Each structure stands twice: as C-alpha cells, then as structure tokens.
C-alpha cells in the first residue's frame, strides 16, 4: 500500500469513529443542557474499540473521563475505578494508576476537550489527556466556550498528535454534523436561549384524536421537559387538549417541572386548565411575540400545532418531529405549512422515530 492509500485509509477511519461518537452523543441531546452533548471513543494500540461513552448530565463527568474510565478497566483489569462517580476522583485515580497504559491509545471526541483555563464543577479534560500521555486525539468540533476552548492547542504543545476536523478539508462533513449536534449549546452561549419546537404526528400526518406517541417517546419528552426552563404553548391548545404539561413520566432522577408561557390573543384567558394546578410552577400569559421574546431566556420547548409554529417560525432554532408508525382514517387534522428544513439526525425511541430538523436559514 502506497503513502496516499494509507492517508486516505486513515481519513476514512477517523471519519468512521467520529461518526460513531456523534451518533452516540445524539442519544443524550438536550439532556445535558446547559452543557453540550458530547461522546468519546477510545481505541487500543491494535485499533480495537475499548470504550464509547457520552456525557450524561451537567455537573457530572465529561465524555472523555467516562470513556477513559471504561478503557482503563479494559486495559488493566482493575475495575475498582468503576465505583467512582465524581469526576475529580476519576481524574485522580487515572493519573495515579494508569502510568503508561494509554501511550499507544487514540481517543476520538465529538467536541474539543476543555482546556486547563476552564473553571467549573469538573476538572479539565485536556489536562487529564496530557497527564496520562495519550498518543493521539481526534476532534470533530471546536469549542466556543470562553473558558473551555483551547484544549486542542494545549495538547499539541505537549507533543500529542491532534487531528482537528475543522482544520481538515477531508473531515468537513463530520465537522458540519458535529456543529449541528452542538446547536442547542451554541444557541445558549451566543443568544442566551435555545428554542425547540416539538411536533408529534402519525405517518399520514394526522395530529388529532388524542395521544399519538408511544410510552417510550412520552417518557423521553418528559425527560426533555425536566431540562427546560419554560414550556411555550398556545391558548388554543390549552382550550382543546387541557394538558397538564408536567414531568410525571420522566425516568431521570430529577423531575423538575418547567414554567409555562401561554401565547394567546385572549386578554381574559381563563386559568382553569390542569396545568395551572401544578405546584412549584410559574404560568405566564403573553399576548404578542415581541413581549414573549423580550424576556425569553434559557431552554424553551414549544408544543403545539401549525398556528403556533407559523407564528414562532423565524425564532425557532430546531424542530423535533416525533413520528408514530400508525395511520388512522378517523383523524385528518394535520400541519399545513410551506416550509422546508435541513435534516440533522434521526433516532428510534420506542416505536417512534425522532427526527431532528433545522430551519433552512441555519
């Protein structure tokens, strides 16, 4: 095999493993906010995958730490490290016990490891990678966080081989996909808000007739709600569906219930729907989009039909379509819009397909 063939083979391998990281990270999309959803994969010296892990929750160990924890067990046979849940404890254990265990290993990461300048609940991943002297780091996307960015340069300055997808014309597609994954995090960083529109329908596009999504999809949406600062819904949806908009089906340890904002033209909107009776919640009623956006901060989930979507369309950052594999001729109401999107990702949750879409202007 000549030099050019080896180079192309290496690029294809990098693309393949970074793709695995991205697919894995999407499983925890939204659930890690306000942190980004990140995944990391470790190869041993023979090129075998010895770990693939994702960041689970803000304040908990980062993806690199979890991947190195699992890889350490597979390389050393020492599983005592699995008892540790705190990021700093895992860092210290790896530094004290790994010695030269990772000197021939490669780590693939969907986002640049946080630099030593980072101040937060978890220690710097770049510092850990430098200390354990990993051989190579391959990164899909550059960090934009003011304190966390710069990890790639730190690693290079220590003599570690670093491949940055945003600097490689052969990995442009991967970098593009990685930035789609990071859109919620980047929106919060740059605009101080991220607006997700959730829309559930059947295969025929129908949306009426009661509950559409499977139990697993319901649980996932309720998990997403635990991470939201606010739910935005139209007055029409409240009058017709009378939703509770709580997190009772959430499977996460935290079941925090978000506040609710109602967008309606009715100046005397009645406070009789079940959602008004949920404890530890603020319900705000607004009558125009300008006043809504003036105070809108954090992660906002919009739930509704075509009318609300059309009103909010210029301000929506991402659309989540939940497609249930059913057709029912009794129901015919569907969203009727003249709008197209970029496809970002798809994944199956229970019986439903979650389609993550981006407005064309993004």
């Amino acid at each position: 095999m000549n030099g050019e063939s080896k180079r192309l083979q290496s690029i294809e391998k990098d693309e393949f493993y970074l793709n695995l990281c991205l697919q894995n990270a999407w499983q925890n999309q939204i659930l890690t906010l306000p942190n980004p959803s990140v995944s990391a994969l470790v190869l041993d010296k023979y090129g075998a995958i010895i770990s693939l892990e994702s960041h689970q929750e803000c304040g908990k160990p980062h993806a690199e730490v979890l991947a190195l924890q699992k890889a350490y067990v597979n390389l050393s046979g020492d599983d005592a490290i699995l008892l540790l849940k705190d990021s700093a404890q895992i860092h210290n254990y790896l530094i004290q016990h790994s010695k030269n265990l990772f000197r021939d290993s490669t780590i693939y990461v969907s986002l640049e490891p946080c630099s030593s300048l980072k101040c937060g609940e978890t220690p710097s991943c770049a510092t850990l990678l430098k200390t354990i002297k990993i051989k190579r780091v391959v990164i899909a996307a550059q960090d934009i966080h003011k304190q966390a960015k710069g990890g790639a340069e730190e690693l290079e300055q220590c003599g570690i081989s670093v491949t940055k997808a945003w600097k490689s014309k052969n990995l442009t597609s991967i970098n593009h996909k990685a930035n789609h994954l990071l859109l919620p995090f980047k929106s919060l960083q740059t605009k101080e808000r991220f607006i997700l529109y959730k829309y559930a329908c059947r295969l025929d596009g129908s949306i009426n007739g009661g509950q559409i999504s499977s139990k697993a999809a319901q649980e996932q949406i309720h998990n997403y709600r635990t991470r939201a600062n606010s739910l935005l819904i139209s007055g029409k949806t409240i009058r017709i569906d009378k939703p509770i908009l709580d997190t009772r089906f959430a499977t996460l340890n935290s079941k925090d219930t978000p506040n609710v904002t109602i967008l309606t033209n009715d100046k005397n909107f009645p406070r009789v729907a079940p959602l008004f009776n949920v404890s530890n919640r603020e319900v705000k009623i607004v009558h125009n989009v300008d006043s809504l956006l003036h105070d809108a901060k954090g992660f906002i989930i919009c739930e509704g039909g075509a009318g609300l979507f059309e009103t909010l369309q210029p301000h929506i950052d991402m659309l989540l379509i939940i497609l249930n594999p059913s057709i029912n001729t009794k129901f015919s109401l569907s969203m009727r819009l003249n709008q197209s999107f970029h496809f970002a990702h798809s994944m199956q949750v229970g019986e439903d397909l979650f389609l993550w879409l981006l407005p064309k202007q993004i």
Side-chain angles (χ1 to χ4, degrees):
M1 183 181 293
N2 59 36
E4 179 63 13
S5 296
K6 287 183 179 179
R7 187 184 72 84
L8 292 174
Q9 188 180 63
S10 177
I11 292 169
E12 289 175 357
K13 183 177 74 171
D14 288 346
E15 186 173 24
F16 175 79
Y17 290 124
L18 287 177
N19 253 321
L20 286 182
C21 285
L22 295 180
Q23 295 294 320
N24 192 250
W26 271 102
Q27 300 301 311
N28 286 329
Q29 180 65 285
I30 303 301
L31 299 177
T32 60
L33 288 178
N35 279 8
S37 182
V38 181
S39 184
L41 178 153
V42 180
L43 300 182
D44 67 12
K45 64 180 179 180
Y46 303 109
I49 298 174
I50 51 176
S51 64
L52 174 59
E53 301 293 331
S54 290
H55 182 45
Q56 300 293 310
E57 186 179 346
C58 183
K60 298 294 178 65
H62 288 181
E64 299 95 316
V65 178
L66 294 173
L68 289 169
Q69 180 187 38
K70 185 70 173 293
Y72 170 81
V73 174
N74 287 328
L75 290 172
S76 68
D78 174 14
D79 61 1
I81 193 174
L82 296 178
L83 298 175
L84 306 178
K85 305 301 179 183
D86 177 75
S87 189
Q89 291 179 339
I90 300 171
H91 273 238
N92 292 334
Y93 196 99
L94 286 169
I95 290 169
Q96 293 172 14
H97 297 86
S98 65
K99 302 188 185 301
N100 292 318
L101 204 63
F102 293 102
R103 64 183 178 185
D104 295 316
S105 295
T106 297
I107 188 168
Y108 289 83
V109 192
S110 60
L111 178 65
E112 181 180 15
C114 50
S115 74
S116 59
L117 298 177
K118 171 185 168 291
C119 298
E121 297 181 48
T122 56
S124 160
C125 292
T127 299
L128 175 61
L129 291 168
K130 288 189 300 183
T131 307
I132 65 173
K133 295 181 172 59
I134 200 158
K135 182 179 180 180
R136 184 172 180 243
V137 181
V138 186
I139 313 167
Q142 187 174 25
D143 202 341
I144 63 165
H145 192 280
K146 292 180 180 179
Q147 280 77 45
K149 66 181 182 180
E153 284 69 28
E154 275 192 49
L155 295 169
E156 287 178 319
Q157 289 168 7
C158 288
I160 294 172
S161 174
V162 179
T163 298
K164 297 172 280 192
W166 63 94
K167 291 288 188 179
S168 172
K169 64 180 182 180
N170 297 299
L171 294 173
T172 300
S173 176
I174 283 291
N175 179 240
H176 195 59
K177 292 178 182 178
N179 284 321
H180 283 169
L181 169 71
L182 293 170
L183 192 144
F185 168 70
K186 289 187 173 182
S187 292
L188 288 174
Q189 289 291 309
T190 57
K191 301 188 299 183
E192 296 187 326
R193 72 169 181 249
F194 168 65
I195 299 179
L196 173 72
Y197 200 97
K198 188 271 293 186
Y199 182 83
C201 65
R202 302 179 185 87
L203 286 177
D204 57 0
S206 64
I207 59 174
N208 55 333
Q211 181 62 43
I212 295 172
S213 305
S214 66
K215 181 181 179 182
Q218 280 185 280
E219 290 174 349
Q220 188 73 326
I221 289 300
H222 282 227
N223 285 338
Y224 293 161
R225 286 179 182 173
T226 69
R227 297 299 184 257
N229 299 98
S230 177
L231 299 180
L232 174 58
I233 193 164
S234 70
K236 179 181 178 181
T237 297
I238 292 174
R239 285 192 297 270
I240 295 174
D241 296 339
K242 298 178 175 57
I244 301 176
L245 297 178
D246 62 3
T247 58
R248 63 191 183 280
F249 298 134
T251 58
L252 303 177
N253 290 330
S254 170
K255 293 199 176 188
D256 294 341
T257 302
N259 296 325
V260 172
T261 300
I262 301 169
L263 181 61
T264 177
N265 291 323
D266 188 348
K267 302 297 183 181
N268 299 300
F269 191 85
R271 294 175 173 264
V272 295
L275 66 88
F276 287 98
N277 300 320
V278 177
S279 59
N280 300 316
R281 151 184 286 172
E282 176 188 356
V283 180
K284 184 187 300 183
I285 298 175
V286 297
H287 304 295
N288 61 75
V289 175
D290 290 338
S291 60
L292 165 69
L293 295 175
H294 182 267
D295 299 321
K297 300 290 183 183
F299 173 33
I300 301 166
I301 299 178
C302 308
E303 301 191 21
L308 183 63
F309 183 90
E310 195 164 22
T311 300
L312 298 173
Q313 190 272 328
H315 313 288
I316 293 169
D317 297 302
M318 187 176 283
L319 174 66
L320 172 59
I321 299 287
I322 301 174
L323 188 61
N324 184 266
S326 63
I327 297 173
N328 196 322
T329 57
K330 293 181 181 179
F331 309 122
S332 59
L333 180 65
S334 63
M335 182 185 282
R336 300 187 181 278
L337 287 173
N338 183 21
Q339 178 67 39
S340 57
F341 304 89
H342 294 294
F343 178 78
H345 182 70
S346 67
M347 64 188 195
Q348 187 172 341
V349 179
E351 296 178 354
D352 296 82
L353 187 64
F354 279 38
L355 300 172
W356 299 87
L357 306 172
L358 307 177
K360 280 285 188 172
Q361 67 267 25
I362 293 179

